[in-house]
Amino acid sequence: MEFSKEEISKKAEYCLSCKIKMCQKGCPLGNDITQFISYVKEGKYEEAYKTLCETTVLSPICGRICPHKSQCEGSCVRGVKGESVSIGNLEAYIGDLAIENGYDIPKLTNERKNKKIAIIGGGPAGLTAASNLARHGYTVTIFEKYDKLGGILRHGIPDFRLDKNILDKQIEKILDLGIEVKYGAILGKNIKLEELENEFDAIFLAFGANISSKMGIEGENLNGVYGGNELLENNNHPNYIGKKVAVIGGGNVAMDTARTIKKLGAEEVKIIYRRAEKQMPAEKKEIENAKKEGIELLFQTNVVKILGNEKVEKIECIKTELVKKEGEAREVPIDIAGSNYIIPMDYIVMAVGSKTENEIVQNLGLELTKKGNISVDEHYMTSKEKIFAGGDLSGTKATVAWASRSGREAANEIMKFLEK
Ligand SMILES: Cc1cc2nc3c(=O)[nH]c(=O)nc-3n(C[C@H](O)[C@H](O)[C@H](O)COP(=O)(O)OP(=O)(O)OC[C@H]3O[C@@H](n4cnc5c(N)ncnc54)[C@H](O)[C@@H]3O)c2cc1C
């Protein structure tokens, strides 16, 4: 555990226990933050855990890797004049204690329901939906492509940010609710949607959207151009020793890939981002960490083309200026004509966005959005009855807490549908 009991107690005492709970509003999961912190103040840790379990089953994970500054902590009243309450640290502490002391995720009924639900994908959305259904007495089977659960928590977020030991233990706790898992089960390859429709009363699709988008620029097909999502998911990297690498993008994937590549021995890593630092979607803490580790960040810089014979040799960049445009919430980066320059480069990593796996989603016979996500209505139902979808796959805001919320809410909708 990162903090002592005394440190945690001090962090809890700093909370003002506001009557109007702005922190709860800022949390995508709607955790009752002031209530769980009140229990921490009284030393009632199991009660604090039970309070968190009303809305989340991912406390030790969200406590560590949620973008707190733009969610709960960003809404904390303490933060208006000074430092906000360390909500993430407190949540992680309680989540860790629950693992250490064996506090169970409470079941919500002892009654068994005679309905079976298939969940496709064992990431935050799938795991949360599965727990909610199992806690209500339903029979749940998760179908997962890999031999381990966790989704991007395992095959994306690097170990230096999320200890996989904690993840394993939390997943164990979730599976203790009585959830069955079929590993190595890939929808669209060795399992078909129709087969699941025949066997299950409802299906929840939560297999994510972890394919790197491309920029559509010249040279993108040269050897030495990679997708950040794939590098992290497969943990299969080229030899970076003595090499120069450019990572293009400004979000989590860009930060995690750049930092991983630097740790793997690259001589030089540059993050190229077309907007300003203050517009970067990555957490401030991650940007600071990247800088400390010697990664260079080039702001207001766009990539025009990648140059080389068969393999990457150089990258052509251009400076941008930020311009206010009507109808746009934030300033738009515009290339400054004639400001082009070329830098030598060995590898380029695209981290400009993530999308769904075309080959699979297009063959499911379900309606898709323009962006290629699975289309759902306000009840998380797809264009086919009894098939629901959530998380990154259906285009939910791509954070763990939002994916998890969609899993929890979709499970509630599935229960309503099954009990109709
Ligand atoms: C590198 C990176 C870093 C991130 N960092 C953060 C962060 O710090 N904080 C934060 O809040 N969010 C972060 N995110 C976003 C967050 O991880 C995602 O929004 C979240 O994991 C989405 O959850 P999900 O359950 O929808 O999908 P996923 O986590 O992608 O899980 C999908 C699951 O489905 C499985 N699967 C895929 N295809 C199939 C198939 N055909 N059949 C069966 N199973 C299948 C996968 O193996 C996986 O287990 C990050 C994302 C990335 C890529």
Side-chain angles (χ1 to χ4, degrees):
M1 244 177 264
E2 233 176 299
F3 299 98
S4 68
K5 203 165 165 180
E6 291 68 36
E7 285 168 317
I8 284 298
S9 189
K10 210 164 152 200
K11 285 179 190 291
E13 288 300 336
Y14 184 62
C15 170
L16 296 170
S17 302
C18 305
K19 290 270 171 304
I20 299 173
K21 304 175 174 185
M22 296 310 290
C23 49
Q24 185 173 18
K25 289 200 176 118
C27 168
L29 284 155
N31 292 347
D32 193 344
I33 293 163
T34 45
Q35 181 60 65
F36 102 78
I37 295 181
S38 294
Y39 282 129
V40 177
K41 286 182 193 173
E42 295 172 43
K44 294 182 179 167
Y45 301 120
E46 191 162 3
E47 294 305 316
Y49 185 62
K50 280 189 187 149
T51 302
L52 284 166
C53 284
E54 287 167 15
T55 42
T56 179
V57 290
L58 296 178
S59 281
I61 290 131
C62 281
R64 287 182 165 81
I65 53 129
C66 269
H68 303 110
K69 296 291 175 223
S70 55
Q71 294 180 354
C72 54
E73 293 182 14
S75 306
C76 172
V77 169
R78 277 284 199 190
V80 177
K81 287 200 182 147
E83 273 295 303
S84 47
V85 174
S86 309
I87 302 167
N89 294 157
L90 287 160
E91 186 181 0
Y93 184 82
I94 293 300
D96 289 1
L97 263 192
I99 291 174
E100 214 176 276
N101 297 346
Y103 309 152
D104 289 333
I105 300 170
K107 283 235 172 201
L108 300 169
T109 179
N110 286 325
E111 187 197 334
R112 293 257 8 121
K113 310 270 173 33
N114 190 22
K115 295 275 163 59
K116 295 195 304 181
I117 300 106
I119 310 264
I120 318 302
L127 286 170
T128 307
S131 341
N132 193 1
L133 290 159
R135 291 171 81 186
H136 281 91
Y138 291 89
T139 303
V140 182
T141 309
I142 300 180
F143 291 82
E144 165 56 46
K145 143 170 116 166
Y146 287 116
D147 59 359
K148 285 201 166 164
L149 298 172
I152 289 172
L153 303 175
R154 183 176 306 280
H155 300 282
I157 298 176
D159 294 358
F160 56 81
R161 279 213 299 129
L162 179 64
D163 180 349
K164 300 305 177 282
N165 206 10
I166 304 267
L167 178 64
D168 286 341
K169 290 191 173 141
Q170 190 58 21
I171 288 175
E172 213 178 291
K173 202 178 260 308
I174 290 173
L175 296 185
D176 282 347
L177 291 164
I179 297 162
E180 191 193 350
V181 188
K182 302 252 194 246
Y183 294 102
I186 311 176
L187 182 68
K189 303 244 162 98
N190 57 9
I191 47 164
K192 300 270 170 289
L193 196 52
E194 306 81 69
E195 294 162 10
L196 297 174
E197 281 179 87
N198 290 334
E199 195 184 333
F200 290 88
D201 299 293
I203 297 157
F204 179 56
L205 303 176
F207 56 91
N210 198 32
I211 306 290
S212 301
S213 298
K214 289 196 163 184
M215 287 185 76
I217 55 172
E218 200 180 313
E220 216 168 341
N221 292 328
L222 287 169
N223 287 331
V225 181
Y226 296 94
N229 302 61
E230 290 74 14
L231 282 179
L232 293 173
E233 177 170 344
N234 304 324
N235 198 18
N236 183 9
H237 294 263
N239 183 354
Y240 299 118
I241 307 288
K243 302 287 184 194
K244 294 179 174 46
V245 186
V247 178
I248 305 165
N252 278 323
V253 182
M255 290 301 144
D256 283 346
T257 351
R259 294 181 65 198
T260 301
I261 290 172
K262 186 76 180 135
K263 286 176 201 293
L264 287 172
E267 179 187 297
E268 201 181 286
V269 181
K270 291 186 198 312
I271 292 180
I272 303 181
Y273 181 56
R274 62 195 183 121
R275 296 173 187 268
E277 178 164 5
K278 65 177 189 308
Q279 295 176 316
M280 263 195 155
E283 275 268 273
K284 210 165 164 211
K285 186 175 72 183
E286 299 311 318
I287 301 171
E288 293 314 316
N289 284 335
K291 285 181 184 169
K292 269 191 226 146
E293 289 162 14
I295 292 163
E296 192 186 346
L297 285 97
L298 305 181
F299 298 108
Q300 290 187 233
T301 303
N302 208 349
V303 176
V304 180
K305 60 177 135 165
I306 302 165
L307 306 151
N309 283 316
E310 286 182 24
K311 75 164 284 303
V312 173
E313 289 168 18
K314 292 169 191 165
I315 184 166
E316 182 175 335
C317 300
I318 189 165
K319 297 298 291 174
T320 71
E321 60 180 333
L322 295 168
V323 177
K324 275 205 171 5
K325 271 205 172 167
E326 248 194 77
E328 296 283 346
R330 48 184 191 163
E331 291 172 314
V332 175
I334 306 286
D335 294 349
I336 303 172
S339 67
N340 306 46
Y341 61 100
I342 290 174
I343 356 181
M345 205 55 71
D346 299 299
Y347 297 116
I348 314 274
V349 181
M350 293 293 166
V352 292
S354 309
K355 53 183 186 151
T356 56
E357 199 167 350
N358 274 345
E359 200 194 313
I360 295 191
V361 291
Q362 284 175 358
N363 290 323
L364 293 176
L366 300 173
E367 246 172 53
L368 303 181
T369 66
K370 271 192 200 134
K371 286 188 171 167
N373 296 98
I374 300 224
S375 207
V376 290
D377 65 13
E378 67 274 28
H379 305 291
Y380 293 89
M381 199 190 273
T382 66
S383 52
K384 255 195 194 174
E385 218 189 48
K386 94 177 198 181
I387 304 179
F388 296 76
D392 286 3
L393 178 68
S394 66
T396 303
K397 242 191 243 174
T399 74
V400 172
W402 280 103
S404 176
R405 173 186 167 151
S406 81
R408 186 185 76 206
E409 290 182 341
N412 290 340
E413 295 295 337
I414 291 172
M415 290 187 265
K416 278 190 218 158
F417 167 79
L418 292 176
E419 301 312 322
K420 255 203 287 203

